[in-house]
Amino acid sequence: INQFRNFFKPDKERIIFDVLDAIKDAIFIVSSQLKNNLIKLSINNESFKIDGFANEFKQVILNLLSNAHDAIVERQKSDHISGKIEIILENQTIKIQDNGGGIPTHVAQRIFEPYFTTKGDHGTGIGLHMCKTIIEDNMRGKLSVHHIQEGTQMKITLPQTLHQEKEEIKL
């Protein structure tokens, strides 16, 4: 219950937080859905700290994981694949990639637009727009979509924290 309470509490100030810890909090919320649909999730244990809004960041990760889950479940209906989501952390970058079949190019160009959805009556079209706003406007980063062999990669690139910049200057 505390996990959910803290998860949805709006952040009032920027803090320096550990990316891996925040991602694990988001994974905790969707882990039973992934398990029930036989979707394997892997994450490397590298981490870094960022300066931003931890709960908003967790909401972004939760939304990206939910979208990956939905794409895989939809593909499993016709292709009977073993679903997998991989989270890669390296050099201020988070990559969330899945084997859900990918996003057609004409759709990929619009997925961050408000109210654009491919889910018909089941989607509002606000999730990815919200993610992009949080990452780019609130956290001074970049959110982009890329095609990979069997699916989609969502890539978040974040700036270094002031703490990291000071440490590098000392070296």
Side-chain angles (χ1 to χ4, degrees):
I1 291 174
N2 286 335
Q3 192 87 338
F4 283 106
R5 184 180 303 126
N6 291 333
F7 190 83
F8 290 107
K9 184 174 23 170
D11 291 324
K12 301 284 187 212
E13 63 183 76
R14 298 178 76 85
I15 61 168
I16 295 175
F17 64 93
D18 185 271
V19 170
L20 184 59
D21 291 342
I23 290 172
K24 286 180 179 179
D25 287 347
I27 290 170
F28 174 78
I29 291 176
V30 296
S31 61
S32 61
Q33 273 186 311
L34 298 176
K35 192 176 199 178
N36 289 341
N37 288 291
L38 305 173
I39 299 172
K40 292 184 180 180
L41 184 135
S42 64
I43 182 169
N44 65 346
N45 284 321
E46 291 185 33
S47 191
F48 52 89
K49 294 188 185 298
I50 57 174
D51 179 15
F53 304 97
N55 286 333
E56 287 185 4
F57 178 78
K58 291 175 193 179
Q59 289 175 3
V60 168
I61 299 301
L62 178 63
N63 193 23
L64 297 179
L65 290 173
S66 294
N67 285 351
H69 165 271
D70 293 349
I72 291 168
V73 168
E74 193 61 33
R75 185 171 177 211
Q76 284 175 331
K77 290 177 184 175
S78 59
D79 293 347
H80 307 290
I81 61 160
S82 296
K84 61 183 177 180
I85 299 172
E86 184 178 13
I87 302 174
I88 303 161
L89 300 151
E90 59 187 7
N91 301 327
Q92 301 302 114
T93 302
I94 300 117
K95 297 175 186 171
I96 299 176
Q97 45 196 51
D98 64 63
N99 66 339
I103 302 170
T105 305
H106 71 283
V107 173
Q109 295 170 349
R110 298 192 59 204
I111 63 169
F112 296 115
E113 293 177 12
Y115 309 111
F116 178 79
T117 183
T118 59
K119 297 179 182 179
D121 292 339
H122 300 294
T124 62
I126 203 70
L128 288 174
H129 175 70
M130 176 199 73
C131 290
K132 192 160 184 78
T133 299
I134 289 170
I135 295 300
E136 295 189 0
D137 295 348
N138 298 359
M139 298 185 70
R140 301 181 301 243
K142 175 124 177 83
L143 174 61
S144 56
V145 61
H146 305 275
H147 296 282
I148 59 172
Q149 188 171 356
E150 292 184 34
T152 302
Q153 177 190 85
M154 301 301 286
K155 182 178 176 183
I156 301 170
T157 306
L158 296 162
Q160 289 187 329
T161 65
L162 295 174
H163 176 72
Q164 287 170 318
E165 290 170 0
K166 287 178 185 172
E167 283 183 9
E168 287 180 8
I169 290 171
K170 288 179 186 177
L171 300 175

